[in-house]
Amino acid sequence: MNYIDLNAWLGTWPFRHLRDSDPAGLMARLQRAGIQRAAVSQIEAALHRNVQPANEQLAISVEPFADRLLPMATINPRFPHWEQDLRRCHEDLGMKGVRLFPCYHDYAANSAQAIAVATACAERSLPLFLPHRLEDSRQRHWMDPGQTVDLGQVADLISAVPEATVVITNARGVLKSAVWKREDLRDRTWYFDLSLSEVHYKLHSNVSSMRDLADFIDAGGASHLVFGTHAPFSYPSAARVKAAVLPVDEPTRLEICAGRAETMLGLAPLA
């Protein structure tokens, strides 16, 4: 199976030590889990007002792994001249997509700023990634806002920019999410990744509601799933297990694990 991880990170998280957050360490960890390629961002950018230095560092870090670690720009639409950062990241640094951090950069996911970035990404055929959370709020450091992105706002963003490809990472409760409940958005190009979603169980709940992803698939949501691990915050093998037990046929599993990522990032299959 060819796996492309759409949700991985490099760099330093100030609130706790992350193992294997350097390029060589992350690549080794992913390969031990049988994952060949990963879309990566510089985690420090979530906490920087001016994110471009982190993007520049990311471009340098991934050079030795150019065919394996795929750089994803971070954009802060509240910082002046973000349009220049986007142009630089896409045209000069060859980045494959954009990540937004509404909770950390202090704007709503359906704000004019977010819509402007989504529109610019759609014009450049760049997928837009929105982490629902970075860490569980129950274990957050007191200086970390520990908030989750409002998925109702994300639904509004998808509606406002129909040409955009939007990937929501690190979400739980996808079946009952505001995005899935918007039936008018079912044919748009938006996705949830597997990293923090539950397949056949649900924490702190009774056994009658132990099938979030399974029920999401039964309701027709398989076409809105992609593979992601949230490494090195999370163990990548956990996402591998989820992918293996999804109640889908093999062609659909291949699309979830790699096919959709190849399409949205413009990748050729590895030899």
Side-chain angles (χ1 to χ4, degrees):
M1 175 76 75
N2 179 24
Y3 292 91
I4 301 175
D5 180 1
L6 288 174
N7 180 20
W9 308 94
L10 296 174
T12 303
W13 184 240
F15 306 121
R16 67 180 172 99
H17 174 66
L18 294 175
R19 294 174 53 201
D20 301 323
S21 62
D22 62 291
L26 178 66
M27 197 67 253
R29 174 177 281 202
L30 293 173
Q31 288 180 332
R32 285 196 298 271
I35 298 165
Q36 292 80 20
R37 290 183 282 185
V40 293
S41 292
Q42 199 76 14
I43 189 58
E44 298 98 314
L47 300 168
H48 291 180
R49 293 188 301 275
N50 179 8
V51 299
Q52 191 56 25
N55 289 327
E56 300 285 340
Q57 177 58 49
L58 175 67
I60 294 169
S61 297
V62 300
E63 280 183 357
F65 304 90
D67 61 337
R68 301 286 178 166
L69 296 180
L70 314 168
M72 311 292 288
T74 297
I75 294 296
N76 178 5
R78 295 195 64 201
F79 197 79
H81 309 304
W82 65 263
E83 298 92 342
Q84 295 178 17
D85 293 344
L86 179 60
R87 184 208 60 77
R88 164 82 174 149
C89 288
H90 183 212
E91 297 178 17
D92 300 335
L93 302 180
M95 297 197 175
K96 300 291 189 180
V98 167
R99 296 199 202 276
L100 294 184
F101 296 92
C103 293
Y104 287 89
H105 291 146
D106 194 26
Y107 59 91
N110 60 354
S111 65
Q113 296 102 321
I115 290 171
V117 176
T119 301
C121 288
E123 291 171 352
R124 293 176 174 271
S125 299
L126 293 172
L128 185 66
F129 293 75
L130 289 100
H132 186 229
R133 70 194 76 194
L134 288 178
E135 288 201 287
D136 192 313
S137 62
R138 294 169 298 179
Q139 67 182 36
R140 73 178 182 90
H141 187 276
W142 63 271
M143 294 181 70
D144 182 347
Q147 299 173 351
T148 57
V149 172
D150 186 324
L151 294 183
Q153 294 178 3
V154 177
D156 292 341
L157 178 66
I158 295 168
S159 178
V161 191
E163 303 84 7
T165 295
V166 177
V167 182
I168 306 152
T169 59
N170 301 346
R172 284 198 171 108
V174 300
L175 178 67
K176 296 182 179 179
S177 71
V179 176
W180 180 246
K181 287 182 178 179
R182 287 280 300 270
E183 294 190 9
D184 60 308
L185 303 181
R186 297 282 174 89
D187 62 346
R188 301 284 176 84
T189 51
W190 59 263
Y191 306 95
F192 286 110
D193 85 325
L194 302 183
S195 59
L196 296 186
S197 299
E198 296 114 356
V199 182
H200 292 291
Y201 60 92
K202 191 170 184 179
L203 297 175
H204 312 299
S205 190
N206 59 50
V207 293
S208 66
S209 60
M210 294 169 64
R211 287 173 47 87
D212 183 37
L213 272 181
D215 287 343
F216 181 69
I217 289 168
D218 288 346
S223 62
H224 291 286
L225 292 175
V226 291
F227 184 78
T229 70
H230 196 35
F233 286 90
S234 300
Y235 293 108
S237 293
R240 281 285 315 271
V241 172
K242 293 176 189 179
V245 300
L246 288 176
V248 297
D249 58 30
E250 284 309 298
T252 301
R253 199 182 320 276
L254 286 168
E255 278 295 299
I256 292 170
C257 292
R260 289 168 192 152
E262 289 175 347
T263 298
M264 74 173 70
L265 301 182
L267 304 175
L270 287 174

